[in-house]
Amino acid sequence: MFLALTALTNVNAYTVPKIPADITLKSLFIFGAASYGKSFINEVENPKIYRDHSIKNPKPFCSPNNPQPKALYDHVNGRLSFVASFTGATYERFLYQNERPSSQTSKNSDAVDFKAIVINEVMAAPKKDNPLPYAEYVEIFNASDEAIELGGFYLKDDKKAVKLPGYLMAPEEYVLLVDEDDARDFEPFGNVLALSSWPGYTNSQGEVYICDANKTVIDSLVYSKKSYGSGSKDSDGFSLEVVNPFLSCDQSLLLLASESSKKGTPGKENSVFDTTPDMMGPRVVSATVRDSVNILVTFDETLSSSALSAGWTLNNGLNIIQSSFAEGTTNAVTLTLDRPLEEKIAYEITVGDLYDCAGNGIDPAANSATFQLPSLASGGEILLNELLSNPRSGTPKFVEIYNHSSKYIDLNGWKLANIDDGTIDSRKTISDRAKIIAPFDYLVVTTDIAELSQQYPKGKKEKWMELSSLPSYPIKGGAVILLSPDEKWVERLDYTEKMHHPLIQNPKGISLERFSPEEEGNNPKNWHSAAAAAGYATPGYKNSQHFARDQTNAAISIQPKVFVPEAAGEQPFTTISYQLADAGYLGTLRIFGTDGRLEMTICQNELWGTKGFYTWNGTNEKGRKVRPGYYILLAEFIHPDGQVHQVKETVVVGSKLK
């Protein structure tokens, strides 16, 4: 049976004395910290106080054997249709609306304070076969101490507003707003107010507003998939619930998926209800550049209006001329500067005298952030630097990116991908918001930071970021693609297991590191196995195998002069680099034993540029490790005019102690 709740006139009814129970709800009552123009009183030493909210709990006065009359009302014409038996709770509502004591005050929609009516629960993504009806609903709660007439109020989303019919809402009462076609389904769950049309809320994100007759916002919530937390609750028919309806500012960031076995609590106290005092101050999460004169400072919780008059301090002589909450938020503040930012400069902002909804001051340990005006990347500046494609069991793969420039570069919109049937495929966006990588710094992209940290505790976690998935990078070999937002710049690495050191029998858990950022990234000779001393990977910091070019005028150089191919913790190869005044030489590099026997041809008649390098891992032409001892490098390079130059250098192959 369907009850549409409206004000009644000229109705005869049985009269039963109303007996309020001695039940109270202790809830956090915040004063002086509300946003939306309400004053903030920071002179109070402890701005949190409690007060008791009495809850009407009428004694049942009927039973199945002694039913009381029940009034069923015409929700279209607002009049009594017939009388039948009904419960004590329904009859109590009838008495409250028609025989309210003269001492009981009420407000109409033109005189309601902000947050007097609270959006307490939202079902935006119902699911068939769940315990609750397969329909959307919005639960509102009267958080004030006065009855409020809902006639003239509006329920709206970002596009459509629906006017509420007349209904007198008692203090601390729950009312379900539903589409009139679904009203009967919600009758068992409490007081229902049927609406002639419904705004309609999308599953993934939306905005919910309660407005007065002038369409002034009384309360609002903004939800998204993130509001449901981890897991699949965003698609499994769970409602979103407010933790504490008595808090005096926006609670969009405090929404939680219902913990009820029914996946929602329409018409009653929320399953996540908690009045535990908030004792933690807000913390700065990030400061990002919106444009050359505007920055966005984001905090980890909702702020009071004190954020707009807080003490903001900037370095480099910058001043703030305007501040405002970012549109649709109360935890992010947009600051306008008195002059434009400059590239390649690290700025820092610090804030004081800023408070959250509960009156907690900014955490002094997290009241500042650095930011930069990002520069556009050019070719060869954002590089692939390290790859773990064959992790140990339970460990995620990772790709490391390196900024080989003096610029602050925003990786917003950059992508990782792979190659499928010769074309770029499986694009994964690294970040859909500002993500600055500092000059000559690293960013590691993985799928599970916690697990990766267990295997590589030396890694710099502050330079790691987590994605839900990476493109497919097979263990045996594949292609890693790094793309700029417009895909103008493309970095590619075609890798195989054979790129690991030949003396490594099982490369599981060992990353491939780029040897030189100045050399071609897709050259197999420019990649080597990470060293054992570094834990077989260096996520977030300088590669264990790296090459810094010697800028002397020597034509041929060897680094190091002594190396041990199989020694743990040592570089298991040597680097042979050349630097010439002119390009166009044909170069040949050979390794000979002291007996004159040829051990290895590194390259033969290859066209050289002005600089380059090769590596030797201590193996011979057959791939076997050479004996420890002295070896001769013979470098021969022929100029295009026919001149032949030869250089001899000594290199020592060592052996680890038994």
Side-chain angles (χ1 to χ4, degrees):
M1 186 166 292
F2 163 59
L3 284 176
L5 301 171
T6 61
L8 299 181
T9 58
N10 302 322
V11 177
N12 295 322
Y14 293 92
T15 301
V16 179
K18 192 163 59 170
I19 307 174
D22 296 325
I23 297 178
T24 60
L25 169 67
K26 176 171 279 191
S27 61
L28 186 60
F29 174 67
I30 309 302
F31 72 98
S35 54
Y36 296 87
K38 293 200 174 184
S39 62
F40 180 80
I41 303 173
N42 58 15
E43 292 84 0
V44 182
E45 183 175 341
N46 183 1
K48 303 180 193 66
I49 61 173
Y50 288 91
R51 69 175 179 184
D52 290 339
H53 298 273
S54 61
I55 300 179
K56 296 178 179 61
N57 186 24
K59 289 184 178 180
F61 56 87
C62 60
S63 67
N65 298 324
N66 184 27
Q68 296 289 344
K70 178 178 182 180
L72 181 66
Y73 311 115
D74 185 337
H75 66 280
V76 176
N77 300 312
R79 56 185 173 81
L80 184 67
S81 296
F82 61 85
V83 176
S85 62
F86 66 117
T87 65
T90 304
Y91 190 56
E92 174 67 18
R93 163 56 44 198
F94 171 79
L95 292 176
Y96 185 81
Q97 297 203 134
N98 293 274
E99 298 187 2
R100 184 175 66 251
S102 58
S103 61
Q104 176 68 58
T105 60
S106 65
K107 287 187 176 182
N108 58 37
S109 63
D110 293 325
V112 173
D113 294 331
F114 172 73
K115 296 289 284 188
I117 297 293
V118 175
I119 302 168
N120 197 48
E121 185 177 355
V122 177
M123 173 62 82
K127 188 176 181 180
K128 285 184 177 180
D129 302 322
N130 274 2
L132 297 178
Y134 180 50
E136 296 178 358
Y137 66 82
V138 172
E139 178 190 85
I140 58 177
F141 175 74
N142 184 350
S144 75
D145 292 326
E146 298 180 299
I148 296 175
E149 173 54 56
L150 296 180
F153 272 68
Y154 289 89
L155 172 68
K156 66 184 296 292
D157 58 11
D158 58 338
K159 297 179 181 178
K160 182 179 180 180
V162 180
K163 196 170 185 178
L164 272 57
Y167 177 69
L168 189 62
M169 189 177 187
E172 300 188 6
E173 179 183 2
Y174 301 92
V175 170
L176 296 174
L177 306 181
V178 301
D179 188 280
E180 63 182 3
D181 294 336
D182 304 313
R184 292 181 181 274
D185 296 333
F186 284 96
E187 179 188 348
F189 298 96
N191 300 325
V192 177
L193 203 57
L195 306 187
S196 57
S197 63
W198 187 250
Y201 298 100
T202 58
N203 294 3
S204 59
Q205 61 182 20
E207 303 169 14
V208 188
Y209 301 91
I210 288 291
C211 304
D212 65 14
N214 299 317
K215 295 191 177 178
T216 300
V217 175
I218 302 301
D219 192 23
S220 64
L221 287 177
V222 178
Y223 66 89
S224 66
K225 280 191 173 183
K226 293 182 180 178
S227 304
Y228 294 87
S230 59
S232 61
K233 287 190 173 183
D234 61 325
S235 59
D236 203 25
F238 283 82
S239 73
L240 290 171
E241 299 180 347
V242 165
V243 174
N244 187 349
F246 297 104
L247 287 178
S248 58
C249 52
D250 183 72
Q251 297 204 56
S252 298
L253 296 179
L254 304 178
L255 284 172
L256 295 173
S258 177
E259 297 176 358
S260 168
S261 59
K262 294 184 177 180
K263 302 184 179 181
T265 55
K268 63 180 183 179
E269 183 178 284
N270 288 343
S271 62
V272 300
F273 179 75
D274 183 11
T275 60
T276 304
D278 175 13
M279 303 298 292
M280 302 297 293
R283 299 168 61 90
V284 175
V285 174
S286 65
T288 55
V289 175
R290 306 296 293 270
D291 54 52
S292 62
V293 294
N294 288 287
I295 62 173
L296 181 71
V297 184
T298 304
F299 296 82
D300 66 344
E301 61 174 307
T302 297
L303 305 175
S304 74
S305 58
S306 64
L308 305 183
S309 58
W312 301 92
T313 303
L314 277 161
N315 63 348
N316 292 291
L318 291 172
N319 296 301
I320 295 167
I321 59 176
Q322 185 177 337
S323 62
S324 61
F325 281 111
E327 184 178 358
T329 74
T330 51
N331 73 311
V333 179
T334 300
L335 302 174
T336 302
L337 310 176
D338 61 345
R339 55 189 171 86
L341 299 168
E342 299 178 21
E343 293 185 7
K344 298 185 180 181
I345 294 179
Y347 296 93
E348 183 176 27
I349 187 165
T350 305
V351 62
D353 295 327
L354 179 142
Y355 302 85
D356 62 14
C357 287
N360 298 302
I362 183 75
D363 185 342
N367 67 339
S368 64
T370 58
F371 62 95
Q372 307 82 24
L373 180 65
S375 305
L376 293 176
S378 300
E381 292 181 341
I382 299 297
L383 308 175
L384 294 169
N385 195 58
E386 188 173 358
L387 170 68
L388 179 66
S389 62
N390 186 5
R392 300 184 187 97
S393 178
T395 305
K397 300 179 181 183
F398 74 78
V399 176
E400 182 184 77
I401 299 166
Y402 176 62
N403 180 1
H404 187 53
S405 78
S406 60
K407 301 176 182 177
Y408 291 92
I409 296 174
D410 189 357
L411 295 181
N412 181 5
W414 284 69
K415 312 175 193 75
L416 287 172
N418 58 19
I419 296 292
D420 183 24
D421 197 22
T423 61
I424 296 175
D425 190 46
S426 189
R427 292 169 173 82
K428 303 292 183 182
T429 300
I430 294 172
S431 178
D432 58 3
R433 63 189 65 183
K435 186 66 178 180
I436 305 297
I437 184 170
F440 307 104
D441 207 353
Y442 307 85
L443 177 70
V444 173
V445 183
T446 186
T447 56
D448 193 327
I449 289 177
E451 286 295 334
L452 189 66
S453 180
Q454 291 291 321
Q455 291 294 331
Y456 304 102
K458 294 181 180 180
K460 306 297 183 182
K461 290 176 60 177
E462 64 272 17
K463 297 176 182 178
W464 300 359
M465 69 171 296
E466 195 170 282
L467 295 184
S468 59
S469 63
L470 291 175
S472 175
Y473 298 131
I475 292 174
K476 296 294 183 181
V480 183
I481 304 294
L482 176 63
L483 298 168
S484 60
D486 58 5
E487 303 192 5
K488 181 179 179 180
W489 305 115
V490 180
E491 266 276 296
R492 177 170 178 168
L493 168 62
D494 294 305
Y495 68 94
T496 69
E497 277 196 323
K498 294 181 179 179
M499 292 166 66
H500 283 285
H501 194 284
L503 298 181
I504 294 177
Q505 296 181 350
N506 182 8
K508 183 180 288 292
I510 303 175
S511 72
L512 283 170
E513 296 179 328
R514 187 175 185 144
F515 194 44
S516 172
E518 298 174 353
E519 301 299 326
E520 169 59 40
N522 205 18
N523 179 0
K525 296 179 181 178
N526 199 20
W527 293 83
H528 295 276
S529 305
Y536 295 112
T538 55
Y541 62 103
K542 189 175 182 178
N543 289 350
S544 61
Q545 313 292 8
H546 63 277
F547 173 57
R549 184 179 300 283
D550 184 358
Q551 296 299 324
T552 67
N553 292 324
I556 301 293
S557 64
I558 299 176
Q559 300 177 30
K561 291 281 189 178
V562 179
F563 73 101
V564 180
E566 75 277 28
E570 302 291 338
Q571 181 172 305
F573 58 90
T574 190
T575 304
I576 306 162
S577 62
Y578 66 85
Q579 185 169 322
L580 305 172
D582 301 309
Y585 284 86
L586 293 179
T588 299
L589 298 173
R590 297 186 179 93
I591 303 291
F592 292 88
T594 54
D595 59 359
R597 180 183 302 173
L598 176 66
E599 295 289 350
M600 171 66 77
T601 299
I602 305 297
C603 67
Q604 184 168 350
N605 293 329
E606 289 192 2
L607 184 63
W608 283 2
T610 57
K611 58 185 179 180
F613 74 91
Y614 297 86
T615 61
W616 181 45
N617 57 26
T619 57
N620 59 21
E621 299 278 7
K622 296 180 180 180
R624 297 172 182 171
K625 185 182 65 172
V626 299
R627 293 177 178 273
Y630 285 87
Y631 291 85
I632 306 299
L633 166 70
L634 178 62
E636 184 178 82
F637 40 105
I638 304 173
H639 194 271
D641 63 7
Q643 298 182 51
V644 178
H645 302 271
Q646 287 187 338
V647 175
K648 292 182 180 180
E649 294 285 348
T650 302
V651 61
V652 177
V653 176
S655 177
K656 64 181 180 179
L657 297 176
K658 300 296 185 180

